[in-house]
Amino acid sequence: MTFLHEQQSPPLLQLDGLSMVYAAPVLQDVHLSLQAGEVRVLAGENGAGKSTLSKIICGLVTPAAGAMRLCGAPYAPATRAQAEAAGVRMVLQELSLVNTLTVAENLFLRKLPRRFGFVDYAALNAAAVSCMAQVGLHLDPATPVSRLGIGQRQMIEIAANISADCKVLILDEPTAMLTGREVDLLFAQIERLKAKGVGIIYISHRLEETKRIADSISVLRDGLVVGTHAAAAISIPQVVKLMVGREVGERLERPAPRASAISLRVDKLRRGDVVRDVSFEARGGEIFGIAGLVGSGRTETLRLIYGADRRDSGAIFISGKECAIDSPHAAVRQGIAMVSEDRKELGLLLPQSIRVNTTLSGIAKVARWGWLNHVKETAIAEKIGNLMSLRASSVEQPVGQLSGGNQQKIAIGRWLHRECDVMLFDEPTRGIDVGAKFEIYKLMAQLAAQGKALVVVSSDLVELMLLCDRIGVMSAGKLVRTFARAEASQDAIMEAAFSAYVDTAPQTVPPTSRIPQ
């Protein structure tokens, strides 16, 4: 493999010797350059330093050492606002929308159109409709962001940034919650920005996807840049080997589940127009997948089963018995666990330690007479951390200091010591690197082998086809088709996902409540 030689023209962005240290070195003497109109992919495992490097560039973190130059001039932003004023913008992996504001207000929060000293909402909403159309969204611009699903919020954040004038655009896992159609729309906009001379730094664990748009790929491992290559000159297996320092297999050997009793059955669940008479069943030992476009009702269906939202009608049966599930607490008492798609808002206590977060779902197991047994807590947290291949200094490290992928591992791991027979997973590998992803797959396969019923929502069709025994496809709130493992193909699933959409009229979104976990 040949290293990418620097082009003759001066770089748009130059990074010289950037270093950063927290409890341990996170970045070590990083040198990179980005040309105008170039898409540079940053690849690496969780904790490799990708997000920290991006946050330094966009002013969220000050480096311990090193310097940067933008358009040939010294560049050292102390805040995100300073970076944006210089033309550097970033779509963070953890979204930064204001949930209490509308879609339109979030899109133009820093530049609200005014008339006679007041916000011109007619102009604002018209501009928002045009902005959303760039990424294929057709929402009422007056909809509060709190009423949107995480995938729709992701598209709003992307739309807000690609519509602004910028020199450098950083995209951190922008497609983690998007389906093929949304990804295609985003990539079309990236090509438009490239043609305008915008330099793009693109971070994603979906390596096959990145090869579609990358001009160059830089691989980070343990805070070091271990290679920079022209995208056309390096294969995906070679990138993976650089990332993890070893070969990573892409097969999941999993026998077909043995015939067993039905653990979960949902019958004609309904909530407004978002979930419409959805029925399916999952047996012990089975992994049942749910596919569909963003906004098709996948997440909302899991929320109804978990009691996070009240259903208008329908019934939920656990082991053949109808259960009155009207809250997450009631769901957990019936043996239902859920891993939310939004770990930052709904899944974790970021200021608290790994120990606290890991044992939170089963306090009774680590307490006696109202007192917590910290020794037992620590033992459980360490055991689950080892099982999940967690990267952390100790179980006392605050979860907020971990990479997004390691945070997601804790969100999943916290349920492993609680005896739940039904486990709901909403985007279980969002933000998780290729090496850790297969560790999660194997763990989920082990849970199924123990007789648990798993229901998995994912925007990654390859993931669903790899994991699941059956895949149900939702379209416009309906479960329109179910595929057996041998029948499933990406084309067939996508055809079913579009089948119930007859127009692109503005969508209305019912109110949702938070999932307390």
Side-chain angles (χ1 to χ4, degrees), residues 420-497:
C420 292
D421 293 327
V422 176
M423 301 192 70
L424 312 177
F425 291 86
D426 198 356
E427 303 288 357
T429 63
R430 178 190 175 215
I432 292 179
D433 64 68
V434 64
K437 186 176 289 189
F438 275 84
E439 295 170 6
I440 298 297
Y441 293 163
K442 290 175 183 177
L443 176 61
M444 294 171 73
Q446 291 170 8
L447 293 171
Q450 294 169 14
K452 300 182 186 298
L454 277 62
V455 180
V456 181
V457 165
S458 178
S459 300
D460 188 338
L461 297 186
V462 174
E463 176 171 279
L464 289 178
M465 291 189 295
L466 184 70
L467 270 177
C468 299
D469 303 294
R470 292 183 299 131
I471 300 173
V473 183
M474 293 193 68
S475 183
K478 298 178 180 179
L479 190 67
V480 294
R481 186 169 176 187
T482 299
F483 294 90
R485 185 183 183 98
E487 301 171 337
S489 70
Q490 293 191 56
D491 289 343
I493 291 172
M494 289 306 299
E495 181 180 356

Coordinates of all heavy atoms in Angstrom, one line a residue, residues 420-497:
C420 N -34.3 -10.8 32.1 CA -35.4 -10.4 31.2 C -35.5 -11.4 30.0 O -34.5 -11.7 29.4 CB -35.2 -9.0 30.6 SG -35.3 -7.7 31.9
D421 N -36.7 -11.9 29.7 CA -36.8 -12.9 28.7 C -37.1 -12.3 27.3 O -36.9 -12.9 26.3 CB -38.0 -13.8 29.0 CG -37.8 -14.7 30.2 OD1 -36.6 -15.1 30.4 OD2 -38.7 -15.0 31.0
V422 N -37.5 -11.0 27.3 CA -37.7 -10.3 26.0 C -36.8 -9.0 26.0 O -36.8 -8.2 27.0 CB -39.2 -9.8 25.9 CG1 -39.3 -9.0 24.6 CG2 -40.1 -11.1 25.9
M423 N -36.0 -8.9 25.0 CA -35.1 -7.8 24.9 C -35.3 -7.0 23.6 O -35.2 -7.6 22.5 CB -33.6 -8.2 25.0 CG -33.3 -9.0 26.3 SD -31.5 -9.3 26.6 CE -31.0 -7.6 27.0
L424 N -35.6 -5.7 23.7 CA -35.8 -4.8 22.6 C -34.6 -4.0 22.4 O -34.0 -3.3 23.3 CB -37.0 -3.9 22.9 CG -38.3 -4.5 23.5 CD1 -39.3 -3.5 23.7 CD2 -38.8 -5.6 22.5
F425 N -34.0 -4.0 21.1 CA -32.8 -3.3 20.8 C -33.2 -2.3 19.7 O -33.6 -2.7 18.6 CB -31.7 -4.3 20.3 CG -31.2 -5.2 21.3 CD1 -31.8 -6.4 21.6 CD2 -30.0 -4.8 22.0 CE1 -31.2 -7.2 22.6 CE2 -29.4 -5.6 22.9 CZ -30.1 -6.8 23.2
D426 N -33.0 -1.0 19.9 CA -33.2 0.0 18.9 C -31.8 0.5 18.5 O -31.1 1.2 19.2 CB -34.0 1.1 19.5 CG -34.7 2.0 18.4 OD1 -34.4 1.8 17.2 OD2 -35.5 2.9 18.8
E427 N -31.4 0.2 17.3 CA -30.1 0.6 16.7 C -29.0 0.2 17.6 O -28.2 1.0 18.1 CB -30.1 2.1 16.4 CG -31.1 2.6 15.5 CD -30.9 2.2 14.0 OE1 -29.9 1.5 13.7 OE2 -31.8 2.5 13.2
P428 N -28.8 -1.1 17.9 CA -27.9 -1.6 18.9 C -26.4 -1.3 18.6 O -25.6 -1.3 19.6 CB -28.1 -3.1 19.0 CG -28.7 -3.5 17.7 CD -29.5 -2.3 17.3
T429 N -26.1 -1.1 17.4 CA -24.6 -0.9 17.1 C -24.4 0.5 16.5 O -23.4 0.7 15.8 CB -24.1 -2.0 16.1 OG1 -24.8 -1.8 14.8 CG2 -24.3 -3.3 16.6
R430 N -25.3 1.4 16.8 CA -25.1 2.8 16.3 C -23.8 3.4 16.9 O -23.6 3.4 18.1 CB -26.3 3.7 16.8 CG -26.1 5.1 16.4 CD -27.2 6.0 17.0 NE -26.9 7.4 16.7 CZ -27.2 8.4 17.6 NH1 -27.7 8.1 18.8 NH2 -26.9 9.6 17.2
G431 N -22.9 3.8 16.1 CA -21.7 4.4 16.6 C -20.6 3.4 17.1 O -19.7 3.8 17.8
I432 N -20.8 2.2 16.7 CA -19.8 1.2 17.2 C -19.0 0.7 16.0 O -19.5 0.5 14.9 CB -20.6 0.0 17.8 CG1 -21.3 0.4 19.1 CG2 -19.7 -1.2 18.1 CD1 -22.1 -0.7 19.8
D433 N -17.7 0.6 16.3 CA -16.8 0.3 15.2 C -16.9 -1.2 14.7 O -17.5 -2.0 15.4 CB -15.3 0.6 15.6 CG -14.8 -0.3 16.7 OD1 -14.7 -1.5 16.6 OD2 -14.6 0.3 17.8
V434 N -16.2 -1.5 13.6 CA -16.4 -2.8 13.0 C -16.0 -3.9 13.9 O -16.6 -5.0 13.9 CB -15.7 -2.8 11.6 CG1 -14.2 -2.7 11.8 CG2 -16.1 -4.1 10.8
G435 N -14.9 -3.7 14.6 CA -14.4 -4.8 15.5 C -15.4 -5.1 16.6 O -15.8 -6.2 16.9
A436 N -15.8 -4.0 17.3 CA -16.7 -4.1 18.4 C -18.1 -4.6 18.0 O -18.9 -5.2 18.7 CB -16.8 -2.8 19.2
K437 N -18.5 -4.2 16.8 CA -19.8 -4.6 16.3 C -20.0 -6.1 16.3 O -21.1 -6.6 16.7 CB -20.0 -4.0 14.8 CG -21.4 -4.2 14.3 CD -21.5 -3.5 12.9 CE -21.5 -2.0 13.0 NZ -21.8 -1.3 11.7
F438 N -19.0 -6.8 15.8 CA -19.2 -8.3 15.8 C -19.2 -8.9 17.2 O -19.8 -9.9 17.4 CB -18.1 -8.9 14.9 CG -18.5 -8.9 13.4 CD1 -18.3 -7.8 12.7 CD2 -19.1 -10.0 12.9 CE1 -18.7 -7.8 11.3 CE2 -19.5 -10.0 11.6 CZ -19.3 -8.9 10.8
E439 N -18.5 -8.2 18.1 CA -18.6 -8.6 19.5 C -20.1 -8.5 20.0 O -20.6 -9.3 20.7 CB -17.7 -7.8 20.4 CG -16.2 -8.0 20.1 CD -15.3 -7.0 20.8 OE1 -15.8 -6.2 21.6 OE2 -14.1 -7.0 20.5
I440 N -20.7 -7.4 19.6 CA -22.1 -7.2 20.0 C -23.0 -8.2 19.3 O -23.9 -8.8 20.0 CB -22.6 -5.8 19.6 CG1 -21.8 -4.7 20.4 CG2 -24.1 -5.6 19.9 CD1 -21.9 -4.8 21.9
Y441 N -22.8 -8.5 18.1 CA -23.5 -9.5 17.4 C -23.4 -10.9 18.1 O -24.4 -11.6 18.3 CB -23.0 -9.7 15.9 CG -23.3 -8.5 15.0 CD1 -22.6 -8.4 13.8 CD2 -24.2 -7.5 15.3 CE1 -22.8 -7.3 13.0 CE2 -24.4 -6.4 14.5 CZ -23.7 -6.3 13.3 OH -23.9 -5.3 12.5
K442 N -22.2 -11.2 18.4 CA -22.0 -12.5 19.1 C -22.7 -12.6 20.4 O -23.3 -13.6 20.8 CB -20.5 -12.8 19.3 CG -19.8 -13.1 17.9 CD -18.3 -13.2 18.1 CE -17.6 -13.4 16.8 NZ -16.1 -13.5 17.0
L443 N -22.7 -11.4 21.1 CA -23.4 -11.4 22.4 C -24.9 -11.5 22.3 O -25.5 -12.2 23.0 CB -23.1 -10.0 23.1 CG -23.8 -9.7 24.4 CD1 -23.4 -10.8 25.5 CD2 -23.4 -8.3 24.9
M444 N -25.4 -10.9 21.2 CA -26.9 -11.0 21.0 C -27.2 -12.4 20.6 O -28.3 -13.0 21.0 CB -27.3 -10.0 19.9 CG -27.1 -8.5 20.4 SD -27.4 -7.3 19.0 CE -29.2 -7.5 18.8
A445 N -26.4 -13.0 19.8 CA -26.6 -14.4 19.4 C -26.5 -15.3 20.7 O -27.3 -16.3 20.8 CB -25.5 -14.9 18.4
Q446 N -25.7 -15.0 21.6 CA -25.6 -15.8 22.9 C -26.9 -15.6 23.7 O -27.4 -16.6 24.3 CB -24.4 -15.4 23.7 CG -23.0 -15.8 23.1 CD -21.9 -15.1 23.8 OE1 -22.0 -14.5 24.8 NE2 -20.7 -15.3 23.2
L447 N -27.4 -14.4 23.7 CA -28.6 -14.2 24.5 C -29.8 -15.0 23.8 O -30.6 -15.5 24.6 CB -29.0 -12.7 24.4 CG -28.0 -11.8 25.2 CD1 -28.3 -10.3 24.9 CD2 -28.1 -12.0 26.7
A448 N -29.8 -15.0 22.5 CA -30.9 -15.8 21.9 C -30.7 -17.3 22.2 O -31.7 -18.0 22.4 CB -30.8 -15.6 20.4
A449 N -29.4 -17.7 22.2 CA -29.2 -19.1 22.5 C -29.6 -19.5 23.9 O -29.8 -20.7 24.2 CB -27.7 -19.4 22.3
Q450 N -29.6 -18.5 24.8 CA -30.1 -18.8 26.2 C -31.6 -18.8 26.3 O -32.1 -19.0 27.3 CB -29.6 -17.7 27.1 CG -28.0 -17.7 27.2 CD -27.5 -16.4 27.9 OE1 -28.3 -15.6 28.5 NE2 -26.2 -16.2 27.8
G451 N -32.3 -18.6 25.1 CA -33.7 -18.7 25.1 C -34.5 -17.4 25.2 O -35.7 -17.4 25.3
K452 N -33.7 -16.3 25.1 CA -34.4 -15.0 25.1 C -34.9 -14.6 23.8 O -34.3 -15.0 22.7 CB -33.4 -13.9 25.6 CG -32.9 -14.2 27.0 CD -32.0 -13.1 27.5 CE -31.3 -13.4 28.8 NZ -32.3 -13.5 29.9
A453 N -36.0 -13.9 23.7 CA -36.5 -13.4 22.5 C -36.0 -12.0 22.2 O -36.2 -11.1 23.1 CB -38.1 -13.4 22.5
L454 N -35.4 -11.7 21.1 CA -34.8 -10.4 20.8 C -35.6 -9.8 19.6 O -35.9 -10.4 18.6 CB -33.4 -10.5 20.4 CG -32.3 -10.6 21.5 CD1 -32.5 -11.9 22.4 CD2 -30.9 -10.6 20.9
V455 N -35.9 -8.5 19.8 CA -36.5 -7.7 18.7 C -35.6 -6.6 18.4 O -35.3 -5.8 19.3 CB -37.9 -7.2 19.1 CG1 -38.5 -6.4 18.0 CG2 -38.9 -8.3 19.5
V456 N -35.1 -6.5 17.2 CA -34.1 -5.5 16.8 C -34.5 -4.6 15.7 O -34.9 -5.0 14.6 CB -32.8 -6.3 16.3 CG1 -31.7 -5.3 16.0 CG2 -32.4 -7.3 17.4
V457 N -34.5 -3.3 16.0 CA -34.7 -2.3 15.0 C -33.3 -1.8 14.5 O -32.5 -1.5 15.3 CB -35.5 -1.1 15.5 CG1 -35.4 0.1 14.6 CG2 -37.0 -1.5 15.7
S458 N -33.1 -1.7 13.2 CA -31.8 -1.3 12.7 C -32.0 -0.6 11.3 O -32.9 -1.1 10.5 CB -30.8 -2.4 12.6 OG -29.6 -1.9 12.0
S459 N -31.3 0.4 11.1 CA -31.3 1.0 9.7 C -30.3 0.4 8.8 O -30.2 0.7 7.6 CB -30.9 2.5 9.9 OG -31.8 3.2 10.7
D460 N -29.5 -0.6 9.3 CA -28.5 -1.3 8.6 C -29.0 -2.6 8.1 O -29.1 -3.6 8.9 CB -27.2 -1.5 9.4 CG -26.0 -2.0 8.7 OD1 -26.3 -2.7 7.6 OD2 -24.9 -1.9 9.1
L461 N -29.4 -2.7 6.8 CA -30.0 -3.9 6.3 C -29.1 -5.1 6.4 O -29.5 -6.3 6.6 CB -30.5 -3.7 4.9 CG -31.6 -2.7 4.7 CD1 -32.1 -2.7 3.3 CD2 -32.8 -2.9 5.7
V462 N -27.8 -4.9 6.1 CA -26.8 -6.0 6.2 C -26.8 -6.5 7.6 O -26.7 -7.8 7.8 CB -25.4 -5.5 5.8 CG1 -24.4 -6.6 6.0 CG2 -25.5 -5.1 4.3
E463 N -26.9 -5.7 8.6 CA -26.9 -6.1 10.0 C -28.1 -7.0 10.3 O -28.0 -8.0 10.9 CB -26.9 -4.8 10.9 CG -27.0 -5.1 12.4 CD -26.8 -3.9 13.2 OE1 -25.6 -3.5 13.4 OE2 -27.8 -3.2 13.6
L464 N -29.3 -6.5 9.8 CA -30.5 -7.3 10.1 C -30.4 -8.7 9.4 O -30.8 -9.7 10.0 CB -31.7 -6.5 9.6 CG -32.1 -5.3 10.4 CD1 -33.3 -4.6 9.7 CD2 -32.5 -5.6 11.8
M465 N -29.9 -8.7 8.2 CA -29.9 -10.0 7.5 C -28.8 -10.9 8.1 O -28.9 -12.1 8.0 CB -29.6 -9.7 6.0 CG -30.7 -9.1 5.3 SD -30.5 -9.0 3.5 CE -29.1 -7.9 3.3
L466 N -27.8 -10.3 8.7 CA -26.8 -11.1 9.3 C -27.3 -11.7 10.6 O -27.0 -12.9 11.0 CB -25.5 -10.3 9.6 CG -24.3 -10.9 10.2 CD1 -23.7 -11.9 9.2 CD2 -23.3 -9.9 10.7
L467 N -28.0 -10.9 11.4 CA -28.5 -11.3 12.7 C -29.7 -12.1 12.8 O -29.9 -13.0 13.6 CB -28.7 -10.1 13.6 CG -27.5 -9.5 14.4 CD1 -28.0 -8.2 15.1 CD2 -27.0 -10.5 15.4
C468 N -30.7 -11.7 12.0 CA -32.1 -12.1 12.3 C -32.6 -13.3 11.7 O -32.2 -13.7 10.6 CB -33.0 -10.9 11.9 SG -32.7 -9.4 12.8
D469 N -33.5 -14.0 12.4 CA -34.2 -15.2 11.9 C -35.3 -14.8 11.0 O -35.6 -15.5 10.0 CB -34.7 -16.1 13.0 CG -33.6 -16.5 13.9 OD1 -32.7 -17.2 13.5 OD2 -33.5 -16.0 15.1
R470 N -36.0 -13.7 11.3 CA -37.1 -13.2 10.5 C -37.0 -11.6 10.5 O -36.5 -11.1 11.5 CB -38.5 -13.6 11.0 CG -38.8 -15.1 10.8 CD -40.2 -15.4 11.2 NE -40.4 -15.1 12.7 CZ -41.4 -14.4 13.1 NH1 -42.3 -13.9 12.3 NH2 -41.5 -14.2 14.5
I471 N -37.4 -11.0 9.4 CA -37.4 -9.5 9.4 C -38.7 -9.0 9.0 O -39.2 -9.3 7.9 CB -36.3 -9.0 8.4 CG1 -34.9 -9.5 8.8 CG2 -36.3 -7.5 8.3 CD1 -33.8 -9.2 7.8
G472 N -39.3 -8.2 9.8 CA -40.6 -7.5 9.5 C -40.2 -6.2 8.9 O -39.3 -5.5 9.4
V473 N -41.0 -5.7 7.9 CA -40.7 -4.4 7.3 C -41.9 -3.5 7.5 O -43.1 -3.9 7.3 CB -40.5 -4.6 5.8 CG1 -40.1 -3.2 5.2 CG2 -39.4 -5.6 5.5
M474 N -41.6 -2.3 8.1 CA -42.6 -1.3 8.3 C -42.6 -0.2 7.2 O -41.5 0.2 6.8 CB -42.5 -0.7 9.7 CG -42.7 -1.6 10.8 SD -42.9 -0.8 12.5 CE -44.4 0.0 12.2
S475 N -43.8 0.2 6.9 CA -43.9 1.3 5.9 C -45.1 2.1 6.3 O -46.2 1.6 6.4 CB -44.1 0.6 4.5 OG -44.2 1.7 3.5
A476 N -44.9 3.4 6.5 CA -45.9 4.3 6.9 C -46.7 3.8 8.1 O -48.0 4.0 8.1 CB -46.8 4.6 5.7
G477 N -46.1 3.3 9.0 CA -46.7 2.9 10.3 C -47.3 1.5 10.3 O -47.8 1.0 11.3
K478 N -47.2 0.8 9.1 CA -47.8 -0.6 9.1 C -46.7 -1.6 8.9 O -45.6 -1.3 8.3 CB -48.7 -0.7 7.8 CG -49.9 0.2 7.8 CD -50.7 0.0 6.6 CE -51.9 0.9 6.5 NZ -52.7 0.7 5.3
L479 N -46.9 -2.8 9.5 CA -46.0 -3.9 9.2 C -46.5 -4.6 8.0 O -47.5 -5.3 8.0 CB -46.0 -4.9 10.4 CG -44.9 -6.0 10.4 CD1 -43.5 -5.4 10.5 CD2 -45.1 -7.0 11.5
V480 N -45.8 -4.3 6.9 CA -46.4 -4.7 5.6 C -45.9 -6.1 5.1 O -46.6 -6.7 4.2 CB -46.0 -3.7 4.5 CG1 -46.7 -2.4 4.8 CG2 -44.5 -3.5 4.4
R481 N -44.8 -6.6 5.6 CA -44.3 -7.9 5.1 C -43.3 -8.4 6.1 O -42.6 -7.7 6.8 CB -43.7 -7.8 3.7 CG -43.3 -9.2 3.2 CD -43.0 -9.1 1.7 NE -42.6 -10.4 1.2 CZ -42.1 -10.7 0.0 NH1 -42.0 -9.7 -0.9 NH2 -41.7 -11.9 -0.3
T482 N -43.2 -9.7 6.2 CA -42.2 -10.4 7.1 C -41.5 -11.4 6.2 O -42.1 -12.2 5.5 CB -42.9 -11.1 8.3 OG1 -43.6 -10.1 9.1 CG2 -41.8 -11.8 9.1
F483 N -40.1 -11.3 6.3 CA -39.3 -12.2 5.5 C -38.6 -13.3 6.4 O -38.1 -12.9 7.5 CB -38.2 -11.4 4.8 CG -38.6 -10.5 3.7 CD1 -38.9 -9.2 4.1 CD2 -38.8 -10.9 2.4 CE1 -39.4 -8.3 3.1 CE2 -39.2 -10.0 1.4 CZ -39.5 -8.7 1.8
A484 N -38.6 -14.5 6.0 CA -37.8 -15.5 6.6 C -36.3 -15.2 6.3 O -36.0 -14.5 5.3 CB -38.1 -16.9 6.2
R485 N -35.4 -15.7 7.1 CA -34.0 -15.4 6.9 C -33.5 -15.7 5.4 O -32.8 -14.9 4.8 CB -33.1 -16.2 7.9 CG -31.6 -15.9 7.9 CD -30.9 -16.8 8.9 NE -29.5 -16.5 8.9 CZ -28.9 -15.8 9.9 NH1 -29.7 -15.2 10.8 NH2 -27.6 -15.6 9.9
A486 N -33.9 -16.8 4.9 CA -33.5 -17.2 3.6 C -34.1 -16.4 2.5 O -33.6 -16.4 1.3 CB -33.8 -18.7 3.4
E487 N -35.2 -15.7 2.7 CA -35.9 -15.0 1.7 C -35.4 -13.5 1.6 O -35.7 -12.8 0.6 CB -37.4 -14.9 2.0 CG -38.1 -16.3 2.1 CD -39.5 -16.2 2.6 OE1 -39.8 -15.2 3.3 OE2 -40.3 -17.1 2.3
A488 N -34.8 -13.0 2.7 CA -34.5 -11.6 2.8 C -33.4 -11.2 1.8 O -32.4 -11.9 1.7 CB -34.1 -11.3 4.2
S489 N -33.6 -10.1 1.2 CA -32.6 -9.4 0.3 C -32.8 -7.9 0.5 O -33.9 -7.4 0.8 CB -32.7 -9.8 -1.1 OG -33.9 -9.2 -1.7
Q490 N -31.7 -7.2 0.3 CA -31.8 -5.7 0.4 C -32.9 -5.1 -0.5 O -33.7 -4.2 -0.2 CB -30.5 -5.1 0.2 CG -29.5 -5.4 1.3 CD -28.2 -4.6 1.2 OE1 -28.3 -3.3 1.2 NE2 -27.0 -5.2 1.0
D491 N -32.9 -5.6 -1.8 CA -33.9 -5.1 -2.7 C -35.3 -5.3 -2.3 O -36.2 -4.5 -2.4 CB -33.6 -5.7 -4.1 CG -32.3 -5.1 -4.8 OD1 -31.8 -4.1 -4.3 OD2 -31.8 -5.8 -5.7
A492 N -35.6 -6.6 -1.9 CA -36.9 -6.9 -1.5 C -37.4 -6.1 -0.2 O -38.5 -5.7 -0.1 CB -37.0 -8.4 -1.2
I493 N -36.5 -6.0 0.7 CA -36.8 -5.2 1.9 C -37.1 -3.8 1.6 O -38.1 -3.2 2.1 CB -35.7 -5.3 3.0 CG1 -35.6 -6.8 3.5 CG2 -35.9 -4.4 4.1 CD1 -34.4 -7.0 4.4
M494 N -36.3 -3.1 0.8 CA -36.5 -1.8 0.4 C -37.8 -1.6 -0.4 O -38.5 -0.6 -0.2 CB -35.3 -1.2 -0.4 CG -34.0 -1.0 0.5 SD -34.3 0.0 2.0 CE -34.8 1.5 1.2
E495 N -38.1 -2.5 -1.3 CA -39.3 -2.4 -2.0 C -40.5 -2.4 -1.1 O -41.5 -1.6 -1.2 CB -39.4 -3.6 -3.0 CG -40.7 -3.6 -3.8 CD -40.8 -4.7 -4.8 OE1 -39.8 -5.5 -4.9 OE2 -41.8 -4.8 -5.5
A496 N -40.5 -3.3 -0.1 CA -41.5 -3.3 0.9 C -41.6 -2.1 1.8 O -42.6 -1.6 2.1 CB -41.3 -4.6 1.8
A497 N -40.4 -1.5 2.1 CA -40.3 -0.3 2.9 C -41.0 0.9 2.3 O -41.5 1.8 2.9 CB -38.9 0.0 3.3

